[in-house]
């Protein structure tokens, strides 16, 4: 608006000057015409009056002059002698005008007469003096015309000219502003098309000539990025991730917000503090990213010795002994933890998003705590941010409201929110009584990520149904209140090569050690399952499939055991406690049914295991069965593949996991189909070594390429584009860029 104001002001000044010049020119011209006109009228008047003036006496001459001055513009007429005496006169001579006052050349005018205009005290007058006879020095007729009408006309002309120019100026300014705005819109649309089109499509866009220099710059930029990418190779590593963060985002570090902390300090029964790695896919994925990027991980301080290990700012450097980044712990009261974590997050949103037949519970008191805790974490992020535009990675369903709260606190932050669990279809999502608040909260993010395109589509459908917004299905984005959020699939993964694999003993040793520890024969066949004790994991279906295998293939009785690690999880929640008892009872029943001597078909290990022990188990196993009833990704499947650098072992994988979309060389099963799952277990146990190798090699190539650095790298690269676009947009819309 300011630039439009300047434009109109400049236009007004220029048009005002032109109007003034034009009216002056016109008035001068009009005055000349009027003088010529008056002079001619004087001559005509003399022609009519001459006989009376020459031949009649003074009285007759006066009457003639009186007749002449009846003309409204004639003020006075007089006959003057050559020496300036007045013979006869009519009308009223203005002050200072008389025969006597005429200059010498006017007293004795030549045949063409004498004319002059003059400004008197009562206005402009025009004098014409004409010889009455041809005799030199004879009497002359002086006619005095009132010229004030010329000034009045000039004034009127000036006014009309000014108004005409003002009108033209106004119409011109509006037309110019509209034209500029249209040009501007078309220019920015083209610019956006170029900036947002895929690289190859940039070539295909027909841009106007004036646009070419910018297009050239974009091309150079894209090619240099492509060249750099080619130089770096296609694989993602911690170094490459760090490079993207520093070069493209200008960030030295990131802030992660997740409920679960990567290192929990627990005080043991002996009073010693020990560090625990929690059983969490989120932690498995994010922890290597934080080692690479450094920064701060904000999480709930849930360990019994957490408060004893932080500094005055509630920070602790981790990993112990390596100190690559900070954990900032947020302390929650029992009520907050109960309402936010156990209540809304795990009894509401968790069953809402998983098709596992557990009805969600939504309580207003839980929602209050959820909002409160989200706001406390948002404040913690604002405290930790070192710049006004930090890069914040918000993790999971515990923090659906935080992105919007953070956007209000730090409008320029780049907020990448990743939802680690599935997103239900729009109809099911509508069960949530706060569906609008949850969606709007998430849309405070720059990018919202899910594991699969299907979950992105469900999210967009939910936004479409419950929120007023503009959805761009081609760009996969949502615009709310003028701000765009990208909605993209980023399949999560694990670090590669896995540090737990490289630290593990050789496979033969792991096999021998695990069998010895579990009291199994050295040549026993071993299946493994690793999960939190959660109803979405289908642990009961898994055990039923093992039972069915033993029924259908009795030759495996006494030879095959299935070891299930079941890390206690969310034990305050009734459905988790019930699951614990149900699984225990099932394992006992199966063991009672088939046990022989010291052999047991099912070994339930219901306690927390550290990653080193889990990787040892993976390496010792002949098969790993992941039977989730619904799972965003499931990283156990990928960990098993990462652990098997000997290219042995078979992965049996539920088709209801995100991982099944990538790991197609696994034996894909429907965990509800106990018959089919037991067949897959039998196939796995009898699979020839070369087929195992072929399948495992192919899955290892895929997990190696699609590792967690790629997951984070892709999000950060998309964030880079969003940042650049936002910066460009704010520069283009800033005052002074072009008329707005
Ligand atoms: O699947 C969602 C998730 O956050 C996982 O990333 C993680 O494995 C699990 O839930 C952890 O649950 P909790 O933090 O409640 O123990």
């Amino acid at each position: 608006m300011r630039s439009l104001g300047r434009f109109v002001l400049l236009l007004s000044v220029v048009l005002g000057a032109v109007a003034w010049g034009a009216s002056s020119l016109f008035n001068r011209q009009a005055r000349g015409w009027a003088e010529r006109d008056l002079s001619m009228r004087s001559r005509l008047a003399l022609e009519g009056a001459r006989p009376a003036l020459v031949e009649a006496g003074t009285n007759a001459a006066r009457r003639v002059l009186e007749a002449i001055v009846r003309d409204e513009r004639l003020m006075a007429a007089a006959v003057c002698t050559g020496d300036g005496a007045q013979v006869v006169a009519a009308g009223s001579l203005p002050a200072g005008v008389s025969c006597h006052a005429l200059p010498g050349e006017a007293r004795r005018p030549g045949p063409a007469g004498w004319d002059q205009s003059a400004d008197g005290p009562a206005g402009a007058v025009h004098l014409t003096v004409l010889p009455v006879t041809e005799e030199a020095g004879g009497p002359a007729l002086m006619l005095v015309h009132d010229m004030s009408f010329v000034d009045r006309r000039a004034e009127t002309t000036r006014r009309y000219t000014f108004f005409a120019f003002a009108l033209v100026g106004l119409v011109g300014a509006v037309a110019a502003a509209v034209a500029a705005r249209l040009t501007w819109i078309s220019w920015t649309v083209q610019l956006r098309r170029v900036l947002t089109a895929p690289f190859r499509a940039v070539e295909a866009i027909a841009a106007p000539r004036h646009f070419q220099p910018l297009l050239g710059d974009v091309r150079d930029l894209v090619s240099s990025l492509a060249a750099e990418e080619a130089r770096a190779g296609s694989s993602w590593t911690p170094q490459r991730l760090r490079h993207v963060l520093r070069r493209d985002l200008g960030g030295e570090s990131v802030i992660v917000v997740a409920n679960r902390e990567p290192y929990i300090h627990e005080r043991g029964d002996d009073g010693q503090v020990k560090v625990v790695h929690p059983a969490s896919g989120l932690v498995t994925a994010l922890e290597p990213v934080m080692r690479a990027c450094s920064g701060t991980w904000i999480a709930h301080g849930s360990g019994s010795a957490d408060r004893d290990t932080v500094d005055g700012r509630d920070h602790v450097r981790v990993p112990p002994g390596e100190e690559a980044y900070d954990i900032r712990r947020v302390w929650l009261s029992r009520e907050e933890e109960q309402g936010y974590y156990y209540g809304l997050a795990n009894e509401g949103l968790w069953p809402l998003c998983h098709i596992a037949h557990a009805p969600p519970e939504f309580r207003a008191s839980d929602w209050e705590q959820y909002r409160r805790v989200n706001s406390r974490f948002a404040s913690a992020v604002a405290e930790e941010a070192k710049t006004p535009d930090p890069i914040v990675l918000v993790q999971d369903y515990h923090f659906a409201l935080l992105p919007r709260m953070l956007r209000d606190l730090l409008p320029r932050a780049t907020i990448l929110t990743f939802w680690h669990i599935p997103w239900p279809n729009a109809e099911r999502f509508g069960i949530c009584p706060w569906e609008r608040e949850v969606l709007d909260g998430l849309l405070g993010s720059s990018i919202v990520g899910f594991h699969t395109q299907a979950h992105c589509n469900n999210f967009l459908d939910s936004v479409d149904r419950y929120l007023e917004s503009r959805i761009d299905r081609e760009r996969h984005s949502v615009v709310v209140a003028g701000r765009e959020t990208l909605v993209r699939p980023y399949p999560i993964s694990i670090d590669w090569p896995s540090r737990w694999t490289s630290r593990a003993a050789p496979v033969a040793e792991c096999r021998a050690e695990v069998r010895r520890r579990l009291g199994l024969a050295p040549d026993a066949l071993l299946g493994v399952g690793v999960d939190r004790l959660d109803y979405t994991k289908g642990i009961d279906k898994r055990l039923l499939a093992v039972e069915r295998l033993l029924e259908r293939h009795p030759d495996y009785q006494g030879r095959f055991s299935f070891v299930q690690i079941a890390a206690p999880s969310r034990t305050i929640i009734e459905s988790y406690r019930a699951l614990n008892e149900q699984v225990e009872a099932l394992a006992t029943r199966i063991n009672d049914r088939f046990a022989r001597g010291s052999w047991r078909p099912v070994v339930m290990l219901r306690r927390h295991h550290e990653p080193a022990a889990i990787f040892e188990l993976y390496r010792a196993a002949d098969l790993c069965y992941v039977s989730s009833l619904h799972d965003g990704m499931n990283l156990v499947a990928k960990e098993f593949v990462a652990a098997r650098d000997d290219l042995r072992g078979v992965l049996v994988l539920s088709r209801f996991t995100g991982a099944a979309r990538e790991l197609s060389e696994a034996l894909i099963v429907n965990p509800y189909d106990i018959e089919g799952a037991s067949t897959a277990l039998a196939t796995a146990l009898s699979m020839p070594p070369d087929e195992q190798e072929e399948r495992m090699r192919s899955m290892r190539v895929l997990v190696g390429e699609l590792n967690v650095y790629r997951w984070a790298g892709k999000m950060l690269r998309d964030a880079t584009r969003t940042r650049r676009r936002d910066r460009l947009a704010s520069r283009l819309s800033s005052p002074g860029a072009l008329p707005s």
Side-chain angles (χ1 to χ4, degrees), residues 63 109 125 151 322 328 454 602 675:
R63 278 197 300 278
V125 293
D151 287 341
E322 294 173 53
R328 153 80 190 273
V602 176
E675 206 69 13

Side-chain angles (χ1 to χ4, degrees), residues 545 548 552 652 668-670 673-681 683:
R548 187 72 188 120
R552 293 172 66 196
V652 181
I668 306 293
V669 297
N670 174 354
D673 175 7
I674 306 298
E675 206 69 13
S678 68
T679 303
L681 292 178
T683 306

Side-chain angles (χ1 to χ4, degrees), residues 260 280-282 341 346 350 396-397 420-421 532 569-570:
R260 189 60 67 203
S280 160
L282 180 156
Y341 174 75
N346 285 315
W350 179 268
D396 232 347
Y397 59 101
H420 287 257
I421 60 177
R532 283 180 307 102
S569 180
R570 306 170 191 169

